[in-house]
Structures are given as structure tokens and as C-alpha cells.
Amino acid sequence: MEKEQRIAWEARCIQEEPPACSTTCPLHVDIRQFMREMADGNMEEAYKVLCKNLPFPGIFGRICNHPCETKCRRGEVGEALGIGSLERFCVEFHGVPDRVKLLPRKSKTVAVVGGDVAGLVAAHDLRKKGYGVTLLETASQLGATFRKFSEDLLPDATLEDELAVLKNMRVEILLGAVLDDAAFENLCGEFDAVFIDRTCPTCASLPLDNDASGLIAVDPVTGGTSRPEVFAGGQGGDVPIMLAAAGRKGALSIERFLQQAHMTIGRENDGPYESRLYTNLEGIAPLDRVRPADVDAGYTADEAMREAARCIQCECLECVKVCQYLAHYKKYPKKYIRQFFNNEKVLLGASHSSNQTINSCTHCGLCAAVCPNDLHMGEVCLEGRYAMLQGDYMPPSAHEFALQDMAFSTSDEFVLSRHQPGTRQSAYLYFPSCQLSATAPGEVLQSYRVLCEKLSGGVGILLGCCGAPAFWSGRDPLFRETLDTIRKQWQAMGQPKVITACCTCQSVFKEHLPEISSTLLWQVLENNALIDKALREEVAGHAVAVLDPCSTRHDPQAQSGVRRILGDLGFTVEELPLSGAMAECCGYGGLVFNANPQLDNAIVTRRAEYSERDYLAYCAMCRDKFVNVGKRTAHLIELLFPSVDGNDPWARGWISWYERRKNRQRVKDELLADLGETVERAMEPYDKIVLHIDPELLRTIDSRRILESDLRQVVHHAEKTGKRLRHNQNGQFRANLKLGNTTFWVDYAPDGEGYRVHNAYCHRMNVTGVK
């Protein structure tokens, strides 16, 4: 992951953006946190939140015109929060101001000319940063603007207590100061920098450039004047909080000037600005403002807590709300991106937890569908997988089994490319997909025969894999090689239109093989009236919940077409909470089923609980994954080309990975038989071994990604070499054999003419540097 890419991705995640109430506040008070503390009754903590950004909180907490309330999102569902009233309650509850903590004193000194709001805030901020500050005011007292407020709103005692903070901060205050050109020149020579409060009556005559209104001309970004060491801010007519922002801008500019830092970079968010934070208000009940029982006295503590509790605590997290992967690791995209970048560039792949996180994304794109900025975590994780492979720290356990399954589908065990029997050209090319052939071999064969019978021009057959597992695992060369093979086979068949029965294959064709015209089987059947009308009586339609594959997210025609077919067959459709453009992945996408089986199982189990109705899938892996957790699920092809005994495809059971390979072989063998051809499959000595495995144990072994052929090889090797251990009490043997990166262990015992397997497990790893 390159730095520029990381920055671009991070910028699209807005979860860390401050809410509109804070960005509207000229001083950026963290109102969300303030409300959280107030709602919990932590009044002192709430006061600390105010003090963090608000100078003289006892003053501003009483007189601020609270522009934040105009952008409060609660106001869109009820009434805006009474932020001003709550701040006033908080500062009154706290009483006299706290001592301000100062940074260590610096050698540089600053003169602040003018003791109204901007000058007071500039002096406060600069002294807090450790600079020596001298405040000069031509009048006899500070804070002229503050003194215009009524005693009821801002008591004199409170004002004096708050202004006394400057003395406690050891700001040197000179009242009744003379400010003429000579005095100004002396200040510029004596101090390292000068800030001028432009509301000071005499400052406009100082030897500085003025603007059209007669005020000292300032740079709008920095507050800089025509002299580099002099800054100014504040303008008559501004409300106090805006004058305070001008003083803060000047203080920040002086700090940068004294540090010889860049004066403008990163200052686009000085003062009020528009928040980028998105907050979904759907489902939030409208609530009116809590009003004090005694208006003159203001809020009681209980009333203040109830009013603060109305805060909706604005945040985005749209992706985390719908993605179990993101929620599982308790972070949001920006944090994941930083974590992945650090793991790659700093830790060089040493963080095993980060590596697993990278491999636990389904790449379904639901996050991008709900993200206001289309941030796709699948793309981030895929980049992470590329980096892991290049750095040689991708563990074999992450994807190896899935890639071995893909290798089977692209081997002579399954690959086939032929014209329709009796023809020498193909107007269409049926690509049913490796996984559907593994799940429903009989239905794949039936559907092909119907296509051959009903469509004119010849329907060729192409068996193979689209390469999706290689893509998801980050093996780009393997993926490109697979695409090239498909392209050459398609060209050799005369470039016919491809009909696929797999939505993942269809999405791969559309995105990566755009030169190949392709369509889904269901659309061909519907458009050509090829659905057997007699099915309506046979399938006994009832209500089903449709599982839209995540790969159809951007294909509403495919989704609506499936629903029309179901309607024609007499089914009524229940829409699941996340379907259509919001479809979730079953866990096969991104190979999560292999890299993180626990998370994969949690994803499917949760979705299986969405509805008590039978599920109807049109993705083979969706069908198999839900059946695997005990949810009655059928595939659309099982309805259209019924072959299940009892005509209840929902009763069809679980299929092992080994059986899936045998089913693919069956499809190829029967298609070749239709062409009058046969396939010779080499028999290995271990193929003759008969195994007895209890059904429950078989499912356990299958979940460990162990095939029956693996077990046979271990037993055969043990019996042939005698390399096995015998348990003295139960008489069982334990044997192991390493095949590739995987070491298989099998507990077994002779049983009749075969062997009974009692347990099996494996370790999929490659330990380098160990002999």
C-alpha cells in the first residue's frame, strides 16, 4: 500500500470528522463529548470539555449566541438541542474558573494591543502556549464588549473572576496605555511579534496598510498585516464568539511565525466550516426540547441531564452497521487502513492479527454501497493481500485449500470445451460454473440439454472456473492466466454468447472479460419462454425468502428476473432485511470461509435467523453455506430442473468438499458420454481403500478442509510403510503424512475390508529454516 493511496483511502472515511455542531462553533468546542458527559451527570467533566477549547468559559458559556444550534442534527428529528442553555448551566454549576495549565515558558515574547475580545483571547492562547505576553489597553479596563451584556446575563463578579485568569497566567496587563506611532515602533522592536485587536479605537491610525473600510488590512487566512511580525483580527459588529475566533487565529499565526513554520498549510478548517460527517437519522424518534420548569432559574441538574440525553451523538459507521466483518474487529475503515499500512511498512507483516483481518473481508462491496464516499474495504483488503504475498508472509492456511479447489476446477478433472453434440458451431456457450456443477450436477446437465433442445444455432459447453478465488486471494498472475484461458477457449468456439448460471462468474465476465457477451441462465429461460409450465403444479409454490448474491448488487435486472420467475411458479417472496442493492455475502466471497471459518459461520448463522421461511438462493455457495448451518435453502436451478426425490429441493442436504469434486467429474463424464466420448481417470493405489466414517465426524473433518482422498493417502502410506502409532488401550492407529504444505493426521482402525476413521485433523503451514 503506497502512502498516497493510504491517504486517499483515509480521506474517504469520515467517521473521525467532527459533527456539524462543533464545526459550526468558531472555537470548535467538542459539543458531542460535552453532551455525553452532561447526560451522564458528569458536570465537572463536561466543564473540562468546555475549557479545552473555550477561553473564559464562565463568560462565553453565558453570552455565546450558540450558532451550533442551527446545525444540530437533532433539530431534523425534533427540536435542536439547547446547547446554549446547557453550557450556561454547566458554567454556573462549576462556579469560579479553574487555574489554566501553561506550557513551559518560551524565550519569545508577544505584545497584544487592545484588550477587547480578540485581544483577550489572543493573549490567553499565547500565554497558554508558554509565550511571554504583555497586554496593552488604552482604556481603563478590559473587555469592553463583555461589559455591554446585562448583569442578569453576565454578572460583573463573574466577568472580573474570568478576566482575573489572565493575571493568574502571569500576563502583564498595561491599562491606559498610550498607543501612537512611536509606541508601536517600540513594541515591534521590543517584542518578537505583535497582535492588534482591530476593535481598538486608535489602531487604525498605526503605520500599517488599511483596507477599504479603514481597518488594518489582514490576510484572510493568517491575519497577517503589511508588517511580517504584526498580526491583527477582530472587527466591530462581530458577535463575541467570532471576535474570539479572530483572536485565536492571530495567536496560531504568531506561533507559526515564531516557529518559522508554514503559515497556511492545514488552516482550511480555522473558524466555522462545513462538517463532512454523515449521520443517518433513519429510525431516530423525534423529541422536543426539555424545557426548564422555572424559566428564570434555568435548568436543574435533572433537566439538564435529560436535555443532553437527547443528543444523538452524531457519527457515520454506516459500513460497520451492516458489515459483520467490520463490526467483528470493532473498528472503522480509517483505523483498518492505518493498521494495514503499519503492518506492511513498519512491522513487515509481523502482526498476525492484522494479517487475519486483511483476509477476513468478503469483498462484497456492501460497505461501498452504504458509504457516503463509496469507500470499498474489499479493495483495501485486496491491496493488503497483494502486499502479504509480495512480502512472503501470507500463511498457506489463508487460501491454499480454496486455491486447490480452484486448481481442480481448472484441471483435466473438470475442464471441457465442446460444441453441442451433432453441431460444429456454437451461437451460445453454456458456462454453468464449477461451484454450481459441484452443488447440482443433475440440474446442470438437465439445463444444458434444454438449452441445446430449445435454442437454435448450437449451444456449446465450457466447464472450468472463472478465477474468482485467485482474484480474491490476491494471486493476480493466476487470475490473469485463468482469464486468458477462458478467452482463448471462447475464441476457439467462435466467440459465442456466454450463458452462465453463476452470478459471480457473470460479474467476472462483465468486469474482466468485457469483450465476451454474457447473460444469466435465468434471463435466457425467461426471455425464450423455456420454463416448463408444468412446474407450476409440481413445485407447489409457497412463501420463500430470496437470498440475493452479493455479486448481483449492481444487477437489478437479474434480481427482478428471479422474482418474476418465482412469481410465475406460484411463490410469494419475502424480502430479507438486506437484499437487492444491499445484498450481503455468504462468506464464500473473499474466501473468508477458508481464512476465518469462525467469522464465516457467524455471518451465515446470523443471516439464517432473518426469517423463519425457507430460503431461495441463486448462488450455489449461498445455497450450500446456509444448508450447512441447518437453514432450509434451495437453489433456483433445483426448482426449474427438479431432480430431487420427493420434489422437495429444500430437503436436500449438506454436500462435502470431496463430494463436490466428484459431482464436477460427473458433469464432465456425462457430457462426454453424450458426445460418445469417455474419459480415462488414473486410479491411484489409495483410491481402492474403503473408509467408514460416521456422518457427524465426516462433517467435522470436512470443516477442517480434509478430503476423503487425503484420508486414504494417509492410511495407505501408514499401512504400506508401517509408520504409525498404536494406542495400547483402544487399539487405534495414528498416522500422519505431509502433502504439500499440509500435514494430515488420522486416527483409524481396521474395520472389515476397510478402515474406520475415528478422527482427523491437519496443519496447513510451511515452516521455513527448519529441517
Side-chain angles (χ1 to χ4, degrees):
M1 184 187 300
E2 297 303 322
K3 182 179 178 181
E4 293 74 16
Q5 179 64 75
R6 173 183 65 83
I7 293 173
W9 272 329
E10 283 187 6
R12 291 164 67 181
C13 179
I14 56 176
Q15 171 59 16
E16 294 180 0
E17 294 290 320
C21 53
S22 292
T23 63
T24 307
C25 171
L27 298 182
H28 302 164
V29 173
D30 187 350
I31 296 167
R32 183 173 54 189
Q33 180 64 25
F34 171 75
M35 290 297 170
R36 190 180 298 133
E37 300 293 354
M38 288 289 290
D40 290 342
N42 301 324
M43 305 304 176
E44 290 304 322
E45 293 301 317
Y47 180 77
K48 291 178 182 177
V49 173
L50 292 181
C51 291
K52 189 173 181 181
N53 287 61
L54 202 61
F56 314 112
I59 299 175
F60 285 106
R62 287 175 168 84
I63 68 169
C64 180
N65 63 326
H66 38 81
C68 48
E69 292 186 10
T70 63
K71 292 296 181 72
C72 174
R73 298 299 309 278
R74 165 50 84 181
E76 299 174 43
V77 277
E79 287 185 278
L81 289 164
I83 301 171
S85 299
L86 289 171
E87 288 184 351
R88 181 180 182 90
F89 170 84
C90 182
V91 297
E92 288 181 344
F93 181 90
H94 181 77
V96 297
D98 290 342
R99 180 178 293 275
V100 177
K101 294 180 180 179
L102 308 179
L103 291 178
R105 195 172 188 102
K106 297 181 173 66
S107 61
K108 305 289 186 181
T109 58
V110 182
V112 175
V113 177
D116 203 5
V117 180
L120 291 170
V121 172
H124 174 279
D125 284 7
L126 287 163
R127 184 67 195 96
K128 190 175 179 181
K129 294 172 187 289
Y131 296 101
V133 176
T134 297
L135 174 60
L136 301 95
E137 168 57 51
T138 56
S140 60
Q141 56 185 3
L142 302 174
T145 297
F146 293 147
R147 296 180 189 281
K148 297 176 183 175
F149 288 91
S150 69
E151 173 73 11
D152 290 341
L153 193 60
L154 180 58
D156 288 342
T158 298
L159 176 59
E160 299 306 330
D161 286 342
E162 291 289 328
L163 294 181
V165 168
L166 290 177
K167 289 184 179 179
N168 295 331
M169 295 171 73
R170 287 175 289 173
V171 173
E172 185 177 2
I173 301 173
L174 302 178
L175 298 176
V178 175
L179 187 62
D180 53 20
D181 290 358
F184 176 67
E185 291 298 336
N186 287 337
L187 289 176
C188 293
E190 181 180 353
F191 293 89
D192 297 290
V194 176
F195 177 79
I196 300 175
D197 185 334
R198 294 199 303 177
T199 62
C200 172
T202 59
C203 66
S205 62
L206 296 174
L208 294 166
D209 292 346
N210 285 0
D211 59 21
S213 60
L215 294 172
I216 297 172
V218 297
D219 182 283
V221 176
T222 66
T225 69
S226 53
R227 291 183 66 152
E229 75 277 26
V230 179
F231 298 82
Q235 184 170 342
D238 283 348
V239 295
I241 198 68
M242 291 304 297
L243 293 171
R248 174 150 295 168
K249 177 190 291 185
L252 178 58
S253 294
I254 288 175
E255 182 184 33
R256 290 194 178 199
F257 171 75
L258 296 178
Q259 293 176 343
Q260 298 183 336
H262 199 287
M263 296 300 295
T264 58
I265 287 180
R267 307 211 44 186
E268 57 274 9
N269 291 340
D270 281 3
Y273 65 96
E274 289 293 324
S275 172
R276 294 177 64 232
L277 182 64
Y278 171 80
T279 300
N280 188 346
L281 301 179
E282 185 178 350
I284 297 178
L287 288 176
D288 291 336
R289 181 177 294 187
V290 176
R291 290 179 166 74
D294 185 338
V295 176
D296 294 333
Y299 281 129
T300 63
D302 176 67
E303 291 167 341
M305 290 171 63
R306 287 192 287 119
E307 172 62 4
R310 291 200 309 124
C311 178
I312 60 177
Q313 293 290 305
C314 289
E315 61 179 1
C316 183
L317 294 182
E318 289 300 293
C319 55
V320 181
K321 292 175 188 173
V322 297
C323 174
Q324 194 157 351
Y325 155 65
L326 294 174
H328 176 76
Y329 289 102
K330 301 182 179 6
K331 295 177 183 173
Y332 47 85
K334 181 170 284 188
K335 286 193 172 183
Y336 288 115
I337 294 166
R338 292 171 183 160
Q339 176 187 356
F340 298 167
F341 183 81
N342 288 336
N343 182 45
E344 177 190 338
K345 301 296 185 183
V346 180
L347 300 177
L348 303 179
S351 172
H352 297 296
S353 60
S354 296
N355 294 339
Q356 189 189 46
T357 306
I358 289 170
N359 286 317
S360 297
C361 170
T362 63
H363 204 274
C364 74
L366 178 57
C367 52
V370 299
C371 174
N373 295 312
D374 303 326
L375 177 56
H376 195 320
M377 274 301 294
E379 295 175 354
V380 176
C381 290
L382 192 58
E383 186 68 25
R385 294 175 195 182
Y386 289 147
M388 289 179 68
L389 287 167
Q390 291 172 357
D392 199 24
Y393 49 84
M394 177 70 81
S397 58
H399 305 128
E400 187 175 78
F401 179 83
L403 292 171
Q404 288 172 342
D405 194 63
M406 174 184 160
F408 180 88
S409 296
T410 55
S411 72
D412 290 340
E413 298 290 342
F414 181 60
V415 165
L416 179 68
S417 176
R418 293 286 193 280
H419 289 299
Q420 180 180 330
T423 68
R424 301 183 65 178
Q425 62 182 12
S426 297
Y428 301 94
L429 184 61
Y430 190 34
F431 189 84
S433 94
C434 57
Q435 296 303 348
L436 185 60
S437 299
T439 297
E443 289 80 354
V444 165
L445 291 165
Q446 280 194 59
S447 59
Y448 177 56
R449 288 160 184 155
V450 167
L451 292 175
C452 289
E453 178 185 348
K454 302 293 184 181
L455 296 181
S456 59
V459 182
I461 184 75
L462 179 58
L463 300 182
C465 174
C466 68
F471 176 76
W472 289 326
S473 70
R475 271 77 172 178
D476 192 61
L478 177 60
F479 179 55
R480 298 295 163 193
E481 178 185 335
T482 306
L483 294 179
D484 287 342
T485 299
I486 293 174
R487 185 182 294 107
K488 290 176 182 175
Q489 291 169 325
W490 169 72
Q491 290 170 339
M493 296 290 286
Q495 302 185 2
K497 183 168 187 173
V498 169
I499 301 171
T500 179
C502 173
C503 299
T504 297
C505 294
Q506 171 73 344
S507 64
V508 169
F509 280 120
K510 281 189 172 181
E511 185 172 353
H512 301 283
L513 292 169
E515 67 272 30
I516 298 180
S517 175
S518 61
T519 187
L520 284 167
L521 172 65
W522 336 117
Q523 293 169 326
V524 173
L525 296 175
E526 185 185 23
N527 295 340
N528 293 276
L530 302 184
I531 298 174
D532 188 348
K533 299 297 183 184
L535 282 174
R536 188 179 177 87
E537 301 297 327
E538 295 179 21
V539 298
H542 57 285
V544 295
V546 173
L547 283 169
D548 288 317
C550 57
S551 51
T552 65
R553 184 180 318 288
H554 304 296
D555 193 349
Q557 287 186 334
Q559 296 170 348
S560 60
V562 168
R563 284 160 175 75
R564 281 196 303 273
I565 291 173
L566 289 173
D568 289 344
L569 294 178
F571 288 91
T572 57
V573 172
E574 175 187 325
E575 297 295 347
L576 293 171
L578 291 172
S579 58
M582 300 285 284
E584 295 179 89
C585 181
C586 64
Y588 181 70
L591 308 181
V592 178
F593 78 98
N594 201 76
N596 193 337
Q598 292 77 21
L599 176 61
D600 166 63
N601 188 67
I603 291 172
V604 180
T605 300
R606 175 179 58 84
R607 294 184 59 197
E609 295 171 351
Y610 280 167
S611 173
E612 294 182 352
R613 298 194 186 282
D614 291 346
Y615 281 7
L616 189 287
Y618 48 111
C619 160
M621 294 313 300
C622 284
R623 181 266 174 208
D624 291 351
K625 298 291 295 298
F626 281 90
V627 168
N628 196 40
V629 298
K631 182 65 181 178
R632 279 172 53 89
T633 307
H635 193 286
L636 179 60
I637 200 170
E638 295 174 307
L639 298 183
L640 300 177
F641 304 94
S643 66
V644 179
D645 292 341
N647 201 20
D648 182 8
W650 282 273
R652 196 177 195 175
W654 162 81
I655 305 171
S656 73
W657 285 102
Y658 179 72
E659 187 179 359
R660 297 176 67 81
R661 293 193 181 186
K662 302 299 289 183
N663 285 342
R664 273 172 260 178
Q665 289 178 327
R666 175 193 160 189
V667 170
K668 177 174 181 177
D669 291 353
E670 292 198 24
L671 288 171
L672 284 176
D674 289 347
L675 292 161
E677 301 179 40
T678 58
V679 58
E680 297 293 335
R681 300 189 187 281
M683 287 286 291
E684 300 292 342
Y686 57 78
D687 288 331
K688 299 177 182 177
I689 290 179
V690 176
L691 297 178
H692 306 287
I693 309 174
D694 291 340
E696 186 173 346
L697 177 60
L698 180 61
R699 294 192 64 152
T700 300
I701 292 174
D702 187 76
S703 70
R704 295 169 179 166
R705 309 292 181 252
I706 301 173
L707 306 178
E708 291 174 53
S709 54
D710 299 326
L711 302 177
R712 289 191 177 91
Q713 289 188 70
V714 176
V715 172
H716 177 264
H717 179 263
E719 293 298 309
K720 179 181 177 182
T721 63
K723 292 183 177 180
R724 58 190 183 183
L725 298 174
R726 183 179 182 280
H727 196 289
N728 288 335
Q729 293 181 336
N730 59 27
Q732 294 176 9
F733 294 111
R734 173 167 295 179
N736 73 83
L737 180 62
K738 185 173 184 182
L739 301 171
N741 291 319
T742 309
T743 301
F744 296 94
W745 295 79
V746 182
D747 292 347
Y748 70 97
D751 185 349
E753 296 181 354
Y755 300 91
R756 178 159 296 279
V757 175
H758 293 279
N759 198 4
Y761 52 94
C762 66
H763 304 295
R764 201 174 290 270
M765 63 176 68
N766 185 16
V767 181
T768 58
V770 177
K771 295 181 179 179

